[in-house]
Amino acid sequence: MALMLVKFDLKKRVKLAQTVWFMYWFAVMAGVLVFSMGLFFKIELRKRSELMDNNESHFLPNLLIVMGLITCGINAFGGKVCYDSLDPSKFVKWKPMLKSFLVVCVVLNGLLLVTTLLCFLMKIPLQFTLAEGLRNGMKYYKDTDTPGRCYMKRTLDLMQMEFRCCGNDQYRDWFEIQWVSNRYLDFSAKEVKDRISSNVDGQYLMDGVPFSCCNPSSPRPCIQLQMTNNSAYYSYDHYTEELNVWRRGCREALLSYYGGLMNTIGALVLLITMLEVSVTVGLQYVNSSLSTLVNPEDPESESEGWILEKTVKETFSDIMANMKAMGKGGKVDEGGDAPAES
Amino acid sequence: MLLKMNFTQQRRVRLAQGLWLLSWLAVMCGAFIFCLGVYLKTELIRRDEVMDNTEIHVVPNILMMVGLASIGTNWLASRVCQDSLDASRFPRWKVLLLAWFVVAALLCYMLIAVVVLSYALQGSLEESLKVGLRNGIRFYKDTDVPGRCFQKETIDRLQMEFRCCGNNNFKDWFEVQWVSNRYLDFTSKDVKDRIRSNVDGRYLLDGVPFSCCNPSSPRPCMRYHLTDNSAHYRYEYQAEELNLHSRGCRQALIDYYMGLLNSTGPGVISVILIQMSVLLSLRYLQTAVEGAMALEDPEGDSEGYLLEKGVKETIEDVKATVLNLLKFGQVDPSDAEESPVAADVDKAASPTPAS
């Protein structure tokens, strides 16, 4: 008993082939979409790789790019086969390889499903990479004269302005590191000497933040130095001041940005997987309907189409038997005709 | 006849098919022009708050109108093409075609005007930005005045996005009180000194808002006491280049908008060329098909031309028609003189005799 048997006459076969051909064109464009999404994600990761210590994993965007290219190629080929299926003479040359092609399609669909899962799961390693990278980034903020790190200040400033965030978890992170380079500190001044002797590592720590933490929506000109000193500014209370600097941490901001991006990509790849499954099923119907013509000479005769020739259980046990037979290699076996069935 | 060409039946068919494709291309070009107008308009509206007048808005407005009109016009041309090879359906377009040519020529003229205007209005844009930015900087501190409370945020975001400071340069901020009185302690000596130092009693300082800071500077941003070399370690006011953005916002915005208009220039010019070719091809098709319909053998050769008579004579005819229309109601004793003129006018208006 075949799985999901459908009867076909010539008109229905033609309609099926046309529909599946049309869907294959959508699937080719879907493949292009997957490729471009992988490329976009890769570029976004590269843009901020400095903030992730150049440590970020490019596995997911690379996988998306490769899957996109493979999907494009396979769908273009499938579309051509569908187009030729309307003409019996042309279809004959595709017939022998169609079964293996369908197996390849099924494997591809499985890989696409795995890619979808990865899109949702890869947020977790990304979170750790971001936390580590941002912490180091802030440490190197002042090193604008060290080759290899001289652009960290600009990168961090631009990132804080763009993502409207300050520090790793919050703005006080800047109080714990020295972000003013020693080149610009007057070591003969009393204030500098006091601050340096106030901590074990001899760092110039201050209760101030860089200008990129400032919030333009604040009604008051930005207060970025001596932030915890209420008497330094008129009518200022640092406990109640909310709009002065950005309150969100950059790790949270970047994570929500990349998380949103990966969720969108995952959802789109899921939709594309479903499209791929449906075109594979369609091609299987085309294949089976053209192989079971009642009268092989007459193209207008009736035929049947199915997804699987036997039930799921029987097909599965057939496959297992096949694999066992292949495993036994050239050994001559009494039940030698069993592997010949397909 | 001006630019006469011989058309066989096959050439007429080819011309009709080619023109059909060309007119659909022109429809898409019209859509492109419309989208371009919409994009320019939104970009201008986004920076509305730092512009004083809206003269420059005439450029995107014309683009949008021309885009819509050209979509309709070229779609009509494609319908004419479809009917042109069918002798029973073509005559109903006769009356419309003269109006179509006038409209298409008008569209080309307006597109050329847009290209010219986008250069001519640069001065007006500059003036508008100068006044708008000056007001923005003056009202920067008025975050508690309704109607002006967003000026601070607008100017800050503008300076950060376009990497500019002030109107001409950062010194514009020295001449304006940009700190609101609400945050000034009027009992402190420093505030009282500064207020007394100028006629209007304003709190002026040699400092700039944080949005002027340049992220590319190797040094944490210095934005107060800018003219005082001793206020910062190893700081020289005249030699410091990277600390703040050096460009003025007016120049930055003008460069941005001129860049936008310049990059759309080639697109508009190619649309003009496409529209002109549709116009000329449709004229040839019209005259060739009408010539063929007048023959005994409709599938024979006919002639297509741009103008039935030379340019000068056509202009004379048009002048006579217009004068005649103006004299419309007037009864003229020399009726006999009028009729040959009227017959001539009829011939000029519909160049080939209707069957």
Side-chain angles (χ1 to χ4, degrees), chain B residues 243-292:
Chain B
N243 187 36
L244 305 171
H245 296 307
S246 49
R247 204 164 55 151
C249 285
R250 188 179 64 208
Q251 191 55 45
L253 279 169
I254 288 187
D255 288 344
Y256 173 68
Y257 281 119
M258 282 300 126
L260 262 184
L261 289 171
N262 282 345
S263 55
T264 62
V268 173
I269 289 179
S270 33
V271 171
I272 293 176
L273 289 173
I274 291 177
Q275 188 68 51
M276 295 262 8
S277 47
V278 169
L279 194 142
L280 292 173
S281 313
L282 190 62
R283 176 66 178 160
Y284 271 120
L285 185 67
Q286 177 203 22
T287 48
V289 167
E290 284 179 348

Side-chain angles (χ1 to χ4, degrees), chain A residues 250-266:
Chain A
C250 285
R251 186 180 54 190
E252 185 197 327
L254 275 174
L255 196 66
S256 78
Y257 172 69
Y258 279 113
L261 191 63
M262 287 164 87
N263 281 347
T264 315
I265 293 181

Side-chain angles (χ1 to χ4, degrees), chain A residues 144 153 161 218-219 222 224, chain B residues 143 152 160 184 217-218 223 233:
Chain A
T144 45
K153 176 184 180 294
M161 289 199 290
S218 163
C222 186
Q224 39 161 151
Chain B
T143 45
K152 177 182 180 293
M160 288 200 289
L184 291 174
S217 164
R223 48 188 188 98
Y233 183 59

